């Protein structure tokens, strides 16, 4: 608590240090706590632009008053609005998905048409210049958008969404500018021929849309309804963003059930049955929007967009009958997928670390990197097909061979009439069409083994070096490309003993590589099912996913988890680490602890808000308001700011809750969008008001979750994680001490923090 | 705490009452607490044969010691064993599913063959006697098994499994005898021609198998490994049973992904990503086992089992192209499904209440009820087809018409050659075949509208009155039967404007009725997809499920929730009720509270165990073991019994933890199967030992989750539910009082209990 004749830090640091001293010999452990201050600084520096989210709805008098009103009038509207939001998210994500697909197909199609035409005229050098020039232009455009407008839009976006749903709001990750760049950057990036997908960016786009809708309009322009404020809290926003992420997957893969499962398995950290139901509705809306759009485009009104953009691989021509050798082949695929997948993750991590150093040097350097990768990609795509020999066209094909249109299995490239270049069919196509060619059935001999090997190598390494440049880039497509490529290779290997179609092998290869990198199971399985529309392969896909995930998990984490960690986002895992059992809650409490009295001096509050970055402060009831000091509850920085802005001050230290409650309704305690809330600088407190008092009771959350200081840290972590808390009070066990020992936040549960304090605890059994 | 010169009940009741008295005017509410004692008695009586489960792994010194050993040696085995268990559950459930199907198809097929043969000879009376006689015999057998051996096996079993996974172990619901009766009772019941399914019972069967495996062998016959004890706790058992439930659905519907989603959406109350992964493995195993079996049976080695038993409806012949009128039809189906579904639930509830009164009268009465329903079913099945007129066979059918084999679309019944009786094709078939006939495509005119109406009426009402008799009876099949029936009717209605096939309408009807009764979404959607193997209907199925669930939710709960409530199982919902915000934790604490001193007299413990049914007791550290009384932790009845059995007693009140810990490893603290643990009567404490002391420290869970007495009840409920607790300590807020105010258990959070204490709180805003 505050005494006016002490400076804050002095008192509090002492307090904490004594706590710390006590804890080291309170348990029969040989654990030495290392120097605290340096450690905090280090952790603090790393996670600076991150805000933790609070999924607990505070229960203070104000909210209870508000809730009473809400029950009377607005519960029905609230529920209705939830569903309306889900509908809007579904429709907008679906429309963005459509726009994205039409744009990519038209831009990339135009580029490929130009190149093909020049090739047919044997003007090979000019064709390359055109091809590489188009790629370069589009890539630079994408990179410029990313570098100058919204750096947060680079990359997949799934790790950030995952972190958000775990309770970490990275800086501007869901801002409108990010949304804008994500949409257009993704279109230009994919059209530029990079080995990147538009699936991850779609997930991010869906989440951004959901977040924008959850903002409830712009307060600046008066575009907001008062009762939208009920959505302005982290919990409702989280639910909306979960729906958005699911809608993104649904729009990217045309997989509504897969979208729900993706949100459930990979994206979300908390889940409720009611949310399942709402997410499902959102993805159903997306499916219907896409369906309508496909009907519309089938009349030819979407330019070069044919069957192309929305992935849907038809393997139904393949007969799924399998026997023992096929199972062996599937097991082999699983093992390969696990090994290549973990290697992929390892290399992506290394490359990302290198790029993050390069990218720090400024926007121009970022763009230069993009240009270099773009040139390399163009050279590979255009140069490598020259290594392939021309193959005579097969007789019994339904499509024309060689075909000269945008997509298609048989690209003529430099070949004489009646021949095709199999490598060009893979390289000089959009990624979606390349996958479609690889997954095509009844085309066992279409691709040379050497061509497949070259393509696999190129795609594997281009995929690794492309992720991390300043362009929105999904990981699904590179992984599916490489996977289906080696799947076909394995299929050729097993040709003598297996009756499975090569297209099926391709699919299983894609599944195995996906399992090996992303380590998802059920959601991948369903997404692949929805992509291929054939349930008979289900057991094989399940088997291959099980094996590749298990193999991969032996070496490292899934790629998204790895990126989350690399970005320094304080992600809390579902399970506490085993060494947390040997520590207790007070062991990781770090100071200085700052508490307020329940009727506090304005100056003290201002000073505390200014001198620390804390977001929650314990409030102590002291005599005369109680018999002895006792914990009244927890007050949030944002609520304090609003209360101070309202200036409900009184000269003396008296209770004033009734006046405050009567007048406070005009103020908005709802949480604004990220970075939009009231700031300390917005307050205008006069010097004479600094000595006045303010009654905090109306805004104190009187039911904060608290643990005893001797609670095992593992159990405290479970409580913190399961309930989605931002602050947790630690209360003393013995009597005659201040009623609160400290506050635990997300950072206190991070392995880095704990192992920083107790480096040797890791090795304890 | 205990003073030897007080009797237990006196002290503690007083303590609690004073607490209660205080609480009524501690909050500015006009809530009056009503007479406590009568209320507890009432609640207690209702829920007597139920045991709460504890999903918290206690952290006491003993477990920590044990865990240390476990980390060294057995973590790998533990993980391996988890997966081995999943494998075993998958294989056994798959095999049981196969056995069930072969048995049903053969028994019912034999019965139907006999009947058909007699019909062909025009010996109609004898045919009826044979048919009804077979049904009666099978029904009586099933009822006798249920009534005499395992009454818990009656009904679907899904509500009980759902309750178990919520933390309520109903008496003998997962016992081996229940498993036995469930398997054979279900076979006889389905073969007896009842309008029941084998799907719900399969879920229960899977859970029983999982529970048995989790038992870790029989200790009585020495069939157990020592380290299997790590699975003998509620948490690991819960995980196994979740896998079992998923495997059951997978085996029943041949829907592995649907099984996982069913477990996730309907069955489980807690979910972890790791569990998703393991459940998925289990259902994949089931799918592979079933696949092998189907390959085997396709050679004709399974008797009358043809394509029949394992449901798989092929609607792929139908073209899925839909337009506006089809959407209208789908919306209409959804509305009908919601209305009929909620009416169904309402009627099932009423019938169950009536039956529960009848069934209480004893086993013989139960069997008589079954016999009556069996006769009624036989009369309907055999009698109603006479109302149908004979229809001439269509020309362009691939199968023979009329066909005389077991299944088939065109039953001749009493019709002349070249004609068939459409109603007999539905009634005189197994339920699976009837569904297959209803879902058959390109058979628009096969069934008369009048026949469909008659069949719908009969199935709807037979389904309602059959559920609740003493036979294992699933709800899926009756619901699908009735739903697909009115689906076809709506299809006929929309014939002039819709291009959708009648088989598709049937499927959508089934979906709508399922959604209207069971109120599931994603899992039903996936199950139906896996049943029909056609992803193109997905958007329509989603739409119809959304509408029917929404409609149904306006009137009442889902049928399983309703049954859980009817059975008086203390199920805790995911969300606290709104009125819990107006109460605090101490408001619902009911006495008497019994605490132990950390070194307690044996006699006191024995007395407390004998005189109360409590399963958790707070332990207080008192001088000389601490400066002032403070909460040491929580001790479980089962652990106390083991400690007492070990007789680690000392004459004086001294700490003895080291000796105890050294010797205690021989004892088994693992939790036995339900009803298998150590009982008070198993102890053999001599009179002179009653005055000795025992040190409870080694077995005290020193990190129990606790809330302050002023914590809002809603927040306490969230904590209790999310962490899966059995006991929660309530600690005082102010000083100078005993260190624990009371214990909250599952029953304290039930609406009945709270509204019993505070009847008027329900109406508070």
């Amino acid at each position: 608590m505050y005494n006016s004749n002490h400076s804050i830090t002095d008192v509090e640091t002492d307090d904490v240090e004594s706590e710390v001293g006590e804890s080291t010999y309170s348990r029969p452990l040989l654990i030495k706590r290392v120097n605290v201050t340096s450690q905090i600084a280090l952790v603090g520096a790393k996670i600076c632009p991150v805000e933790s989210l609070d999924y607990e709805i505070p229960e203070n008098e104000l909210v209870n008053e508000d809730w009473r009103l809400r029950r009377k009038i607005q519960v029905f509207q609230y529920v209705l609005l939830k569903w309306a939001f889900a509908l809007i998210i579904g429709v907008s994500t679906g429309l963005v998905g459509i726009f994205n697909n039409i744009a990519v197909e038209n831009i990339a199609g135009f580029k490929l048409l130009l190149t093909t035409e020049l090739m047919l005229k044997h003007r090979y050098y000019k064709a390359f210049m055109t091809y590489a020039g188009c790629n370069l232009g589009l890539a630079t455009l994408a990179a410029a958008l990313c570098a100058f407008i919204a750096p947060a839009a680079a990359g997949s976006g799934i790790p950030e969404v995952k972190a958000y749903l775990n309770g970490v709001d990275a800086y501007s990750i869901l801002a409108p500018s990010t949304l804008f760049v994500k949409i257009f950057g993704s279109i230009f990036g994919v059209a530029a021929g990079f080995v990147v997908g538009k699936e991850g960016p779609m997930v991010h786009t869906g989440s951004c849309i959901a977040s924008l809708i959850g903002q409830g309009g712009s307060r600046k322009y008066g575009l907001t309804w008062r009762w939208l404020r009920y959505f302005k809290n982290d919990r409702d926003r989280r639910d909306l963003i979960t729906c958005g992420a699911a809608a993104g997957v649904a729009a990217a893969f045309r997989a509504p059930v897969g979208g729900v499962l993706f949100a459930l398995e990979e994206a979300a950290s908390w889940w409720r049955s009611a949310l399942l139901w709402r997410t499902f509705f959102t993805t159903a809306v997306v499916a219907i929007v896409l369906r309508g759009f496909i009907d519309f485009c089938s009349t030819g009104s979407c330019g070069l967009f044919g069957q192309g953009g929305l992935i849907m691989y038809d393997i139904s021509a393949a007969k799924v009958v399998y026997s023992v050798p096929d199972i062996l082949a599937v097991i082999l695929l699983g093992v390969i997928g696990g090994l290549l997948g973990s290697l992929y993750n390892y290399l992506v991590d290394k490359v990302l670390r290198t790029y993050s150093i390069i990218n720090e040097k400024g926007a121009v350097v970022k763009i230069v990197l993009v240009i270099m990768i773009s040139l390399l990609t163009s050279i590979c795509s255009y140069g490598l097909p020259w290594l392939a020999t021309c193959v005579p066209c097969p007789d019994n094909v339904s499509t024309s061979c060689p075909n000269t249109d945008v997509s298609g299995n048989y690209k003529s490239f430099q070949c004489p009439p009646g021949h095709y270049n199999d490598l060009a069919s893979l390289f000089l196509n959009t990624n979606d069409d390349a996958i479609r060619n690889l997954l095509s059935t009844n085309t066992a001999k279409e691709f040379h083994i050497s061509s497949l090997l070259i393509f696999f190598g190129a795609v594997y390494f281009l995929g690794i070096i492309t992720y991390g440049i300043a362009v929105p880039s999904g990981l699904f497509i590179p992984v599916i490309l490489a996977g289906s490529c080696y799947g076909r290779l394995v299929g050729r290997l097993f040709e003598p003993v297996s009756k499975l179609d090569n297209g099926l092998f391709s699919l299983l290869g894609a599944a195995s590589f996906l399992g090996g990198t992303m380590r998802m199971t059920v959601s991948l399985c369903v997404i692949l099912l929805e992509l291929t529309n054939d349930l008979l392969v289900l057991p094989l896909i399940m088997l291959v996913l099980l094996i590749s995930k298990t193999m991969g998990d032996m070496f490292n984490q899934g790629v998204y988890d790895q990126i989350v960690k690399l970005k320094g986002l304080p992600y809390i895992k579902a399970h506490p680490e085993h060494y947390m059992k040997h520590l207790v809650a007070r062991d990781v409490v770090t100071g200085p602890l700052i508490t307020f009295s329940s009727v506090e001096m304005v100056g003290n509050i201002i000073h505390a808000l200014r001198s620390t970055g804390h977001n929650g402060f314990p409030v102590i009831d002291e005599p005369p308001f109680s018999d002895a000091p006792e914990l009244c509850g927890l007050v949030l920085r944002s609520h304090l700011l609003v209360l101070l802005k309202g200036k409900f001050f009184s000269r003396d230290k008296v209770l004033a809750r009734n006046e405050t409650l009567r007048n406070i309704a005009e103020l908005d305690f709802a949480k604004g969008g990220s970075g939009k809330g009231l700031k300390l600088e917005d307050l205008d407190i006069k010097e004479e008001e600094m000595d006045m008092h303010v009654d905090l009771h109306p805004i104190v959350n009187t039911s904060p979750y608290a643990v005893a200081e001797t609670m095992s840290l593992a159990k405290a972590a479970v409580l913190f994680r399961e309930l989605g808390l931002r602050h947790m009070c630690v209360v003393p066990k013995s009597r005659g001490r201040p009623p609160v020992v400290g506050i635990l936040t997300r950072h206190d549960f991070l392995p880095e923090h704990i192992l920083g304090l107790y480096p040797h605890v890791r090795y304890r059994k």
Side-chain angles (χ1 to χ4, degrees), chain A:
Chain A
M1 286 131 293
Y2 260 63
N3 301 341
S4 45
N5 49 351
H6 282 83
S7 89
I8 302 166
T9 29
D10 278 3
V11 181
E12 300 305 335
T13 318
D14 286 349
D15 245 333
V16 173
E17 285 303 325
S18 71
E19 274 309 313
V20 172
E22 195 176 358
S23 75
T24 46
Y25 36 89
S26 65
R27 278 213 143 188
L29 292 182
L30 277 170
I31 299 174
K32 249 180 93 181
R33 179 156 172 159
V34 303
N35 187 338
V36 183
T37 351
S38 69
Q39 204 53 37
I40 296 169
L42 198 145
V43 176
K46 201 172 173 188
I47 46 167
C48 192
V50 159
E51 196 198 333
S52 294
L53 303 173
D54 198 352
Y55 292 146
E56 197 198 349
I57 305 282
E59 278 199 1
N60 54 40
E61 292 173 11
L62 194 77
V63 170
N64 284 349
E65 281 290 317
D66 217 30
W67 171 256
R68 212 171 295 177
L69 279 174
R70 174 167 156 181
R71 277 209 66 77
K72 268 195 197 126
I73 319 166
Q74 284 159 338
V75 159
F76 180 70
Q77 279 103 313
Y78 177 72
V79 172
L80 199 73
L81 208 60
K82 268 188 178 174
W83 287 91
F85 278 174
L87 179 76
I88 297 170
I89 292 170
V91 171
S92 353
T93 312
L95 290 176
V96 170
I98 291 165
F99 173 70
N100 188 317
N101 273 293
I102 294 183
V104 165
E105 289 292 309
N106 278 293
I107 297 174
F110 182 72
K111 176 188 81 180
L112 291 171
L113 270 188
L114 271 187
T115 315
T116 312
E117 257 171 44
L118 289 167
M119 292 290 295
L120 285 177
K121 292 178 194 153
H122 303 286
R123 298 168 74 171
Y124 299 126
Y125 180 70
K126 198 169 174 191
F128 174 69
M129 292 308 288
T130 313
Y131 180 72
C134 286
N135 282 351
L136 200 65
L138 290 166
T140 316
L141 210 54
L145 281 175
C146 253
F148 292 115
I149 301 181
S156 154
I158 293 180
E160 286 86 352
V161 171
K162 202 177 159 171
Y164 186 96
L165 294 177
N166 189 266
V168 189
D169 190 8
Y171 178 67
S172 85
I173 195 66
L174 296 172
S177 60
T178 310
L179 172 62
F180 172 79
V181 173
K182 201 87 195 186
I183 295 175
F184 288 95
S186 170
I187 290 173
F188 297 142
V190 173
F194 282 122
V195 185
V196 298
K198 50 185 187 288
E199 282 65 27
M202 270 310 297
V203 173
H204 193 176
T205 303
S207 309
C208 284
I209 291 174
S211 165
L212 260 187
I213 288 170
Q215 243 36 300
S218 161
R219 205 182 305 167
K220 204 155 97 190
Y221 304 105
L223 292 172
T224 179
W225 291 325
R226 248 192 83 65
W227 46 287
L228 279 182
R229 74 176 179 282
Y230 294 119
F231 286 90
K232 289 185 179 170
N233 60 67
D234 290 330
R235 178 183 283 252
D236 280 313
R237 216 166 269 165
R238 174 187 76 185
D239 289 354
L240 288 175
I241 286 168
T242 309
C243 284
V249 175
F253 293 107
R254 228 168 102 190
V257 180
V260 174
L261 284 174
F262 174 85
L264 171 65
E265 187 180 359
E266 186 64 23
S269 295
W270 289 276
W271 197 261
R272 295 173 295 121
S273 198
L275 196 54
L276 189 72
W277 172 215
R278 199 131 48 88
T279 316
F280 187 59
F281 173 72
T282 316
T283 60
V285 170
V286 173
I288 289 166
V289 170
L290 292 186
R291 174 90 200 187
F293 148 71
I294 289 164
D295 284 351
F296 171 73
C297 280
S298 62
T299 60
S301 355
C302 307
L304 291 175
F305 180 89
Q307 288 267 319
L310 281 168
I311 327 175
M312 180 80 169
Y313 308 116
D314 192 5
I315 55 157
S316 54
K319 250 185 84 186
V320 185
V321 180
Y322 43 91
S323 50
V324 177
D326 302 316
I327 302 287
L328 289 178
V330 164
I331 292 172
L332 177 67
L333 272 177
V335 173
I336 296 177
L339 292 175
L340 285 178
S342 49
L343 179 66
Y344 193 89
N345 290 1
Y346 174 79
L347 293 175
V348 162
D349 191 60
K350 290 281 162 254
V351 169
L352 275 179
R353 282 174 198 277
T354 318
Y355 281 0
S356 72
I357 299 167
I358 299 174
N359 284 339
E360 263 172 21
K361 299 205 195 316
V364 178
V365 180
K366 277 185 187 176
I367 297 176
V368 171
L369 182 64
V370 172
I371 288 174
M372 281 166 58
I373 302 289
S374 171
L375 283 176
L376 185 64
T377 308
S378 296
I379 291 168
C380 283
S381 309
Y382 191 84
L384 290 175
W386 293 94
L387 298 177
T389 47
C390 292
V391 187
C393 279
D395 303 327
N396 52 349
V397 289
S398 49
T399 56
S400 65
C401 172
N403 45 18
T404 51
D405 62 342
V406 185
S407 61
N409 267 5
Y410 305 103
K411 285 266 176 185
S412 91
F413 205 62
Q414 93 289 19
C415 293
H419 290 67
Y420 70 97
N421 183 321
D422 58 349
L423 211 42
S425 308
L426 298 175
F427 270 122
L428 286 179
N429 248 332
T430 59
N431 294 330
D432 284 354
D433 284 325
I435 295 176
R436 196 167 292 113
N437 291 345
L438 281 170
L439 290 188
S440 62
T441 50
N442 297 322
T443 51
K445 303 276 179 200
E446 185 185 332
F447 301 102
H448 263 287
I449 290 184
S450 62
S451 304
L452 288 173
L453 276 173
I454 293 172
F455 187 67
F456 170 72
V459 162
Y460 192 85
F461 287 103
L462 282 177
I464 289 168
I465 60 168
T466 308
Y467 190 84
I469 61 174
V471 160
S473 46
L475 279 168
F476 270 97
I477 292 292
V479 167
I480 293 178
L481 268 176
S484 53
C485 207
Y486 75 71
R488 222 163 226 270
L489 281 170
V490 171
R492 293 295 275 275
L493 199 69
F494 276 79
E495 211 163 23
V497 289
S498 167
K499 282 198 212 75
L500 282 185
D501 191 276
N502 269 21
L504 270 184
F505 267 110
S506 236
L507 176 69
L508 292 171
S512 74
F513 200 27
L514 283 170
T517 49
M518 309 197 169
R519 316 284 162 82
M520 293 183 266
T521 52
V522 188
S523 51
L524 275 182
C525 197
V526 173
I527 289 174
L528 289 173
L529 278 185
E530 292 189 290
L531 282 181
T532 54
N533 194 15
D534 190 349
L535 277 157
L536 296 177
V537 285
L538 179 62
L540 293 180
I541 294 184
M542 287 176 104
L543 187 64
V544 88
L545 281 174
L546 281 166
I547 296 170
S548 62
K549 178 181 154 74
T550 313
M551 280 299 293
D553 278 344
M554 287 183 193
F555 298 102
N556 48 26
Q557 293 178 289
V559 67
Y560 295 129
D561 290 318
Q562 213 170 260
I563 297 172
V564 165
K565 200 171 175 190
L566 186 75
K567 294 211 164 190
L569 299 172
Y571 188 91
I572 298 196
K573 287 189 197 149
H575 287 285
E577 305 285 340
H578 71 92
Y579 50 74
M580 291 191 188
K581 290 170 88 83
H582 305 299
L583 297 169
V584 295
R586 71 172 159 217
D587 289 343
V588 296
V589 166
T590 47
L593 172 71
I594 294 175
T595 60
F596 293 132
S597 173
S598 54
V599 178
E600 184 58 270
M601 242 169 63
V602 176
N604 285 342
I605 297 177
I606 298 280
H607 184 188
L609 292 179
R610 193 169 288 150
S611 60
T612 71
H614 295 190
N615 284 293
F617 302 89
V619 175
I620 312 284
D621 258 334
E622 286 171 321
F625 305 116
S626 68
D627 297 337
E630 59 182 50
L631 180 64
C632 172
L634 194 79
V635 68
L636 297 178
R637 170 182 284 259
S638 54
H639 289 183
L640 277 175
L641 288 171
V642 177
L643 192 72
L644 290 178
K645 187 154 179 89
K647 302 206 172 182
F648 301 101
F649 304 149
S650 56
R651 260 283 133 247
D652 305 313
K653 199 167 179 174
V654 291
L655 290 179
R657 75 172 73 175
N658 290 337
E659 292 98 287
T660 312
L661 275 178
R662 220 174 299 129
N663 298 308
I664 214 166
E666 288 303 305
L667 292 165
D668 196 354
F669 281 83
K671 189 182 173 186
S674 36
K676 293 259 179 59
L678 206 58
K679 285 185 195 60
L680 192 55
E681 299 82 59
D682 302 335
L683 295 185
D684 175 32
I685 307 284
K686 297 190 190 70
E687 195 53 53
E688 68 265 27
E689 287 169 333
M690 288 299 226
D691 289 334
M692 294 176 82
H693 288 86
V694 58
D695 183 4
L696 300 181
H697 281 110
I699 60 163
V700 171
N701 176 2
T702 48
S703 299
Y705 287 105
V707 294
E709 54 182 349
T710 53
M711 173 74 108
S712 124
L713 189 60
K715 290 212 163 187
V718 169
L719 174 63
F720 192 85
R721 168 67 161 70
E722 293 293 320
L723 301 187
L725 304 183
R726 184 175 185 178
H727 304 104
M728 190 160 75
C729 297
V730 180
V731 294
K733 182 150 185 167
S734 51
R735 304 180 174 213
R737 290 165 52 203
V740 60
V741 168
I743 294 265
L744 290 181
T745 64
R746 171 172 292 266
H747 296 123
D748 300 319
F749 291 105
L750 291 183
E752 301 92 76
H753 177 234
I754 297 168
L755 292 176
L757 295 173
Y758 305 100
H760 300 295
V761 80
R762 184 205 294 264
Y763 308 107
R764 279 183 56 83
K765 288 293 169 295

